[in-house]
């Protein structure tokens, strides 16, 4: 057995980590759930707890359970830096771990296959089990049952997650649930450190969402040709088909958005983040390779393609993380917990849209490094995605028994395709994307929407693509407000000239009416901001509280009209 690890001088903790550590040591609970936003430092926190428990003799063994093979080495490297030797190469067939390690790192899949092996190891030594991204223990019955059987005998269990909610009703092992007044059972955390708190502390980056709409055309399995504008109110089926059309690698929409995303990446790299990297999140292998080809044509550089969590992909992720390469394309995403701090631009090019998936994906871009770095994520202008973007700071729990709604298209098929990393024939059968063009629809930041629609390649779009990369959250809000005011003023200057030659043109479609109303609401919110100095996000939140309904990006015409009437009385 190697020497017992101890806390070394110079191992400093962030404020939230110190508070959570005191809460943990004071409570001495067998089970402790830590919910902290991606990039907050959950690994550092867990390893400090392990050092404290090694030091006072509570434990003499540490087992870390991760979702992926790649994370095993990442955990072992982090532990080694604080004096804890963990074996990431342990296999179930080994039965016993080598005696010159303080513990092991395994995956949930390993535990699910042979829980008895891990139970035997847990029984023979006083063990702390760290369950990283614990929500994965609910991914399948075998994983959940295996984790429970293997680690019930542990003297302590520490659960970590940045996304404590799931899209199903599978209970998460060792997590406590409390029933609310509505009869629903919700997960209860022992300590929580959300994105809003981390942003205020400078621990994570501000995330700016650029939402792109555009005209789409496709042919159905019945041979009918349909057209729709992405982002306009329509049925879920039409949203799904328009969304799928926009993501077609051969269409103009993806090529225009990828070109805009690379332009944004170049601004960041030339403006204080010289190694900034970009990540495209694709739905399947075919699309991923096609997007990589488009990026290669745009940039003249080959994009790194990651298709699975196998050993080769782990190496590609590590190489990309340490390199100066511009773009990576991944199926699903680079798994949560994977640390690539230089990722600063993302393209959400998948139709998976559960809150869990979205939060995990955006978590790849929030990790702060230098002072005032920002991140930018390009998303399709789809109502559900815009709502998730607007509510990035919202805290969520895992709710058992809540009614489930499907978002995106054919979620079950997509989840299978993402797990198997190939597109199911069901997704492609009888559907043909014909054309799609992109248009910058709106900018979302801190729960507020900014900007007026702008065609790709225009100076209006470039105004937003050229935002400085080194800004505080307050500076982002101020600059977006200023850009919006300039757009509105320029449009007003153009209006008299147009009126002199043309009769006033009234909005014809529901989509056009929504654009006009959203523009009017944003102008009124900006004016209220200047009068009160309240942040735009808080003004929008107060209007939602008073009037009800979703964020303005998804609000109906009637809801926008009600908010306009309300803010005029404030």
């Amino acid at each position: 057995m190697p020497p017992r690890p101890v806390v070394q001088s110079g191992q400093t903790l962030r404020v939230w980590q110190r508070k959570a550590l005191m809460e943990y040591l004071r409570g001495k609970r067998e089970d402790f759930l830590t919910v902290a936003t991606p990039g907050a430092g959950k690994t550092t926190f867990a390893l400090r707890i392990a050092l404290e428990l090694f030091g006072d003799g509570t434990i003499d063994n540490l087992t870390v359970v991760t979702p992926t093979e790649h994370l095993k080495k990442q955990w072992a490297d982090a532990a080694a830096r604080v004096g804890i030797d963990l074996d990431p190469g342990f296999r179930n067939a080994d039965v016993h771990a080598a005696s010159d390690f303080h513990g092991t790192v395994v995956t949930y899949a390993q535990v699910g296959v042979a829980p008895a092996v891990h139970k035997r190891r847990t029984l023979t030594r006083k063990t702390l089990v760290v369950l990283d991204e614990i929500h994965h223990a609910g991914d399948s019955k075998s994983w959940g049952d295996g984790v429970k059987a293997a680690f019930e005998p542990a003297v302590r269990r520490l659960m970590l997650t940045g996304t404590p909610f799931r899209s199903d009703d599978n209970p998460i092992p060792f997590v406590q649930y409390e029933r609310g007044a509505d009869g629903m059972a919700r997960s209860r955390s022992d300590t929580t450190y959300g994105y809003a708190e981390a942003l205020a502390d400078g621990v994570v980056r501000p995330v700016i969402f650029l939402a792109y709409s555009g005209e789409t055309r496709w042919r159905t399995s019945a041979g009918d040709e349909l057209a729709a504008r992405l982002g306009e109110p329509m049925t879920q089926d039409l949203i799904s088909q328009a969304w799928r059309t926009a993501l077609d690698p051969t269409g103009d929409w993806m090529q225009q958005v990828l070109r805009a995303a690379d332009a944004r990446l170049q601004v960041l790299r030339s403006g204080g983040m010289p190694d900034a990297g970009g990540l495209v999140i694709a739905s399947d292998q075919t699309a991923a390779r096609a997007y990589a080809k488009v990026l290669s044509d745009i940039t003249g550089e080959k994009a790194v393609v990651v298709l699975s969590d196998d050993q080769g992909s782990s190496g590609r992720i590590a190489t990309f993380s340490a390199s100066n390469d511009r773009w990576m394309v991944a199926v699903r995403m680079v798994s949560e917990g994977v640390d690539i701090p230089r990722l600063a631009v993302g393209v959400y090019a998948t139709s998976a849209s559960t809150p869990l998936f979205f939060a995990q994906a955006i978590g790849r871009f929030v990790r702060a490094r230098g002072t005032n770095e920002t991140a930018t994520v390009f998303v399709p202008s789809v109502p559900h995605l815009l709502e998730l973007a607007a509510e990035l700071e919202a805290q969520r729990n895992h709710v058992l028994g809540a009614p489930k709604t499907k978002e995106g298209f054919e979620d079950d098929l997509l989840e299978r395709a993402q797990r198997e990393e190939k597109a199911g024939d069901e997704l492609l059968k009888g559907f043909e994307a014909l054309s799609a063009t992109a248009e910058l629809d709106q900018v979302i930041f801190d729960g507020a929407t900014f900007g007026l629609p702008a065609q790709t390649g225009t100076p209006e779009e470039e105004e937003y693509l050229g935002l400085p990369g080194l800004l505080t959250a307050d500076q982002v809000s101020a600059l977006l407000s200023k850009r919006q005011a300039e757009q509105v003023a320029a449009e007003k200057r153009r209006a008299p000239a147009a009126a002199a030659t043309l009769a006033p043109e009234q909005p014809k479609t529901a989509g056009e009416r929504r654009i006009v109303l959203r523009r009017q609401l944003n102008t009124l919110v900006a004016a209220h901001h200047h009068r009160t100095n309240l942040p735009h996000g808080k003004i929008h939140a107060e209007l939602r509280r008073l009037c009800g309904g979703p964020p303005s990006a998804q609000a109906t015409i009637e809801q926008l009209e009600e908010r306009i009437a309300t803010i005029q009385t404030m």
Side-chain angles (χ1 to χ4, degrees):
M1 184 72 186
R4 186 178 295 274
V6 297
V7 178
Q8 302 167 7
S9 61
Q11 293 179 356
T12 59
L13 296 177
R14 291 169 174 163
V15 173
W16 84 264
Q17 293 167 330
R18 291 200 300 271
K19 290 180 178 178
L21 177 63
M22 295 306 298
E23 177 69 20
Y24 182 89
L25 297 176
R26 186 165 49 242
K28 296 184 177 179
R29 281 159 278 188
E30 286 186 3
D31 295 309
F32 193 93
L33 173 60
T34 299
V35 177
T37 188
K42 293 186 290 293
T43 301
T44 298
F45 170 67
L47 292 172
R48 179 56 178 267
I49 285 179
L51 287 171
E52 297 284 350
L53 298 182
F54 272 120
D56 66 15
T58 301
I59 65 169
D60 54 27
N61 182 63
L62 171 62
T63 298
V64 177
V65 189
T66 75
T68 67
E69 287 287 329
H70 178 81
L71 287 176
K72 288 167 63 173
K73 185 177 186 307
Q74 190 167 296
W75 265 95
D77 290 343
R81 288 194 289 270
V82 298
I84 301 176
D85 292 323
L86 297 179
D87 181 8
F90 176 81
R91 294 290 179 262
N92 291 343
D94 298 337
V95 180
H96 301 290
S99 60
D100 53 350
F101 288 98
H102 295 109
T104 58
V105 192
V106 297
T107 64
Y108 286 104
Q110 270 183 271
V111 177
V113 168
V117 170
H118 302 277
K119 181 177 182 178
R120 188 181 306 115
R121 294 184 54 251
T122 306
L123 282 167
T124 55
R125 298 172 69 180
K126 295 183 295 183
T127 299
L128 164 67
V129 179
V130 174
L131 296 158
D132 188 24
E133 304 297 350
I134 179 63
H135 53 273
H136 280 286
D139 279 357
S140 70
K141 192 173 188 302
S142 65
W143 284 22
D145 290 348
V147 164
K148 195 161 184 61
F151 302 123
E152 193 86 63
V155 297
R156 296 286 179 90
R157 289 173 291 268
L158 174 62
M159 286 82 75
L160 308 174
T161 181
T163 49
F165 48 93
R166 293 184 54 81
S167 303
D168 55 35
D169 283 337
N170 292 338
I172 304 171
F174 304 121
V175 169
Q176 300 299 311
Y177 290 84
E178 294 178 344
R179 198 165 297 279
D182 59 0
M184 300 295 182
R186 289 175 172 81
S187 58
R188 182 186 64 79
S189 61
D190 296 285
T191 186
T192 301
Y193 186 64
Y195 175 79
E197 299 166 275
L199 185 61
D201 293 343
V203 172
V204 294
R205 296 170 177 158
V207 179
I208 303 166
F209 291 93
L210 298 184
Y212 278 74
S213 61
E215 301 295 333
T216 61
R217 288 195 315 113
W218 67 92
R219 182 177 292 113
T220 68
S221 57
D224 298 326
E225 286 193 16
L226 298 178
R229 180 179 176 79
L230 197 65
E232 284 194 354
M234 48 186 157
T235 66
Q236 186 60 47
D237 285 346
L238 287 176
I239 291 173
S240 299
Q241 292 171 62
W243 188 354
R244 184 190 303 182
T245 302
L247 297 183
D248 177 25
T250 65
D252 289 339
W253 194 94
M254 271 305 302
Q255 297 193 36
Q256 290 165 348
V257 169
L258 289 175
R259 191 174 297 279
D262 187 65
R264 178 65 181 152
L265 185 62
Q266 291 183 65
V267 168
L268 297 183
R269 288 169 78 101
S270 62
M273 300 173 64
D275 64 341
L279 171 65
V280 180
I281 301 166
S283 289
D284 57 69
Q285 286 191 19
T286 302
R289 293 191 179 99
Y291 295 155
K293 175 65 167 59
V294 173
L295 283 169
S296 177
D297 293 341
I298 291 171
T299 66
E301 299 178 13
K302 188 175 181 180
V304 176
V305 179
V306 177
L307 300 177
S308 68
D309 289 322
D310 61 19
Q311 195 61 42
S313 290
S314 292
R316 284 192 291 277
I317 292 170
T319 300
F320 179 82
S321 180
S323 75
N324 199 39
D325 293 343
R326 280 157 78 168
W327 283 99
M328 172 186 284
V329 184
V331 174
R332 295 183 296 172
M333 64 172 129
V334 175
S335 302
E336 70 268 45
V338 172
D339 190 10
I340 309 178
R342 69 187 191 88
L343 285 179
V345 175
V347 179
Y348 195 87
T350 173
S351 294
S353 59
T354 62
L356 174 63
F357 188 99
F358 188 83
Q360 290 172 344
I362 303 308
R364 299 315 95 222
F365 306 98
V366 303
R367 298 173 185 271
R369 300 183 305 171
T371 305
N372 300 337
E373 289 184 344
T374 64
T376 305
V377 179
F378 292 71
V379 297
S381 192
V382 174
H384 184 60
L385 287 186
L386 300 185
E387 183 173 358
L388 294 174
E391 296 182 341
L392 180 64
E393 298 182 11
Q395 295 290 340
R396 291 184 174 89
N397 294 310
H398 184 210
V399 182
L400 301 180
K404 300 297 185 290
T405 59
K406 284 194 173 186
E407 302 290 351
F409 63 83
E410 300 154 278
D411 281 358
D412 295 336
L413 291 175
L414 276 168
E415 287 171 12
R416 283 208 304 272
Q418 287 149 10
R419 281 199 300 268
E420 298 168 6
E421 299 194 337
K422 61 184 180 182
D425 291 340
E426 302 96 323
L427 289 179
L428 306 175
K429 190 175 180 181
F431 176 90
E432 182 184 0
L434 298 178
S435 67
T437 57
E439 176 184 290
L440 177 58
D441 183 33
Q442 58 190 294
V443 181
I444 299 175
F445 179 74
D446 190 26
T449 60
F450 300 87
L452 308 180
Q455 295 293 326
T456 57
T458 62
E460 289 78 13
E461 182 197 37
E462 290 173 6
E463 285 290 300
Y464 290 102
L465 298 179
L467 287 170
L470 300 180
L471 295 170
T472 66
D474 289 342
Q475 288 171 333
V476 172
S477 290
L479 194 51
L480 288 174
S481 299
K482 180 174 180 289
R483 291 283 165 88
Q484 178 173 275
E486 291 170 349
Q487 275 188 300
V488 172
E491 190 163 281
K492 285 181 178 178
R493 288 193 298 271
R494 288 193 295 267
T501 56
L502 297 171
E505 186 174 343
Q506 297 299 316
K508 296 183 180 64
T509 68
E512 289 173 343
R513 289 179 63 199
R514 284 180 72 250
I515 289 172
V516 171
L517 291 170
R518 204 178 69 219
R519 179 184 307 159
Q520 184 179 352
L521 177 61
N522 285 349
T523 302
L524 291 169
V525 167
H528 193 74
H529 159 74
H530 288 301
R531 288 196 305 271
T532 63
N533 208 31
L534 286 172
H536 287 70
K538 287 191 176 180
I539 300 171
H540 279 282
E542 178 63 11
L543 288 172
R544 288 182 63 194
R545 186 187 70 79
L546 293 171
C547 304
S552 59
Q554 300 81 52
T556 63
I557 288 173
E558 292 76 13
Q559 289 167 335
L560 290 170
E561 290 173 338
E562 183 180 2
R563 291 178 197 183
I564 288 169
T566 301
I567 196 171
Q568 287 173 332
T569 67
M570 291 172 63

